[in-house]
């Protein structure tokens, strides 16, 4: 019980408004779009990096890195520096299942929001029921929480891959 109180106090201190849920708000918006993108509802694809989302969901540093990398689109559409979904960390996925979000205590001004889901549950692959975890690093800018980085877990290397580091490499033409 004491741990829960500490986490809540940290979240309240971070948000400055007394609303712990504020930290999760930008992550929730991205995950709702991602969940919709992979749903079996034939809806249009939602770009989680469109101008309106870049303007209000991401930190200035993240936006600068994204815009620099966007000068090197991955495919001929001239839009995105990625040719895969950075949240599911692939080009294929099933409707996302068992999605959960949890914010860790704020450390040095950064709140880590862990999002866990099954991305391949409709598959017959041996790892189809495995969970994917994505870590959103959330900071406060201009009095509101924004995403400063998206970190995925690399199953093969057991490393954590920073999207901002990937954007910096793309911007260098690598």
């Amino acid at each position: 019980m004491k741990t829960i109180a500490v986490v809540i106090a940290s979240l309240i201190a971070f948000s400055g408004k007394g609303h712990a849920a504020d930290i999760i708000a930008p992550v929730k918006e991205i995950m709702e779009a991602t969940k919709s993108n992979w749903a079996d509802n034939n809806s249009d694809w939602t770009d989680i990096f469109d101008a309106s989302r870049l303007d209000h969901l991401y930190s200035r540093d993240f936006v600068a890195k994204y815009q620099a990398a966007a000068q090197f689109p991955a495919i001929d559409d001239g839009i995105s520096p990625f040719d895969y979904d950075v949240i599911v960390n692939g080009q294929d996925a099933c409707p996302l299942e068992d999605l959960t979000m949890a914010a860790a205590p704020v450390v040095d001004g950064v709140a880590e929001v862990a999002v866990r889901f099954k991305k391949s549950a409709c598959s017959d692959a041996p790892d189809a029921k495995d969970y994917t975890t994505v870590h959103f690093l959330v900071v406060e800018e201009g009095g509101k929480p924004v995403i400063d980085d998206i970190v995925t877990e690399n199953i093969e290397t057991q490393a954590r891959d920073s999207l901002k580091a990937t954007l910096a490499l793309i911007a260098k033409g690598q």
Side-chain angles (χ1 to χ4, degrees), residues 2-173:
K2 184 177 178 184
T3 303
I4 293 171
V6 170
V7 170
I8 291 172
S10 295
L11 295 175
I12 290 169
F14 179 86
S15 71
K17 300 175 186 171
H19 296 102
D22 289 346
I23 290 172
I24 294 178
V27 176
K28 185 176 179 186
E29 185 171 332
I30 295 304
M31 290 312 302
E32 286 173 354
T34 301
K35 191 170 183 176
S36 176
N37 285 344
W38 294 106
D40 286 332
N41 60 10
N42 296 323
S43 65
D44 289 334
W45 188 266
T46 301
D47 181 2
I48 63 170
F49 301 113
D50 71 9
S52 69
R53 285 186 178 80
L54 284 173
D55 184 49
H56 79 278
L57 294 178
Y58 298 95
S59 70
R60 288 184 295 272
D61 187 50
F62 185 95
V63 171
K65 285 180 174 44
Y66 181 85
Q67 290 173 336
Q71 302 304 308
F72 302 92
I75 54 177
D76 290 337
D77 66 2
I79 298 171
S80 175
F82 307 112
D83 63 352
Y84 65 99
D85 183 311
V86 300
I87 304 300
V88 302
N89 203 21
Q91 293 178 329
D92 297 310
C94 299
L96 304 185
E97 292 185 5
D98 300 334
L99 190 139
T100 60
M101 289 182 230
V106 176
V107 176
D108 296 329
V110 179
E112 183 172 309
V113 178
V115 178
R116 193 171 175 248
F117 53 88
K118 292 179 184 175
K119 69 176 183 180
S120 302
C122 67
S123 168
D124 292 332
D127 62 351
K129 303 298 181 195
D130 290 354
Y131 281 90
T132 295
T133 303
V134 179
H135 305 270
F136 291 82
L137 305 183
V138 179
V139 299
E140 189 171 328
E141 273 185 8
K144 66 178 188 163
V146 291
I147 298 166
D148 188 52
D149 202 357
I150 301 170
V151 180
T152 55
E153 295 178 357
N154 187 318
I155 296 169
E156 295 163 4
T157 65
Q158 301 302 308
R160 290 175 56 146
D161 296 330
S162 161
L163 190 58
K164 279 175 53 171
T166 300
L167 289 167
L169 290 174
I170 292 170
K172 291 180 182 176

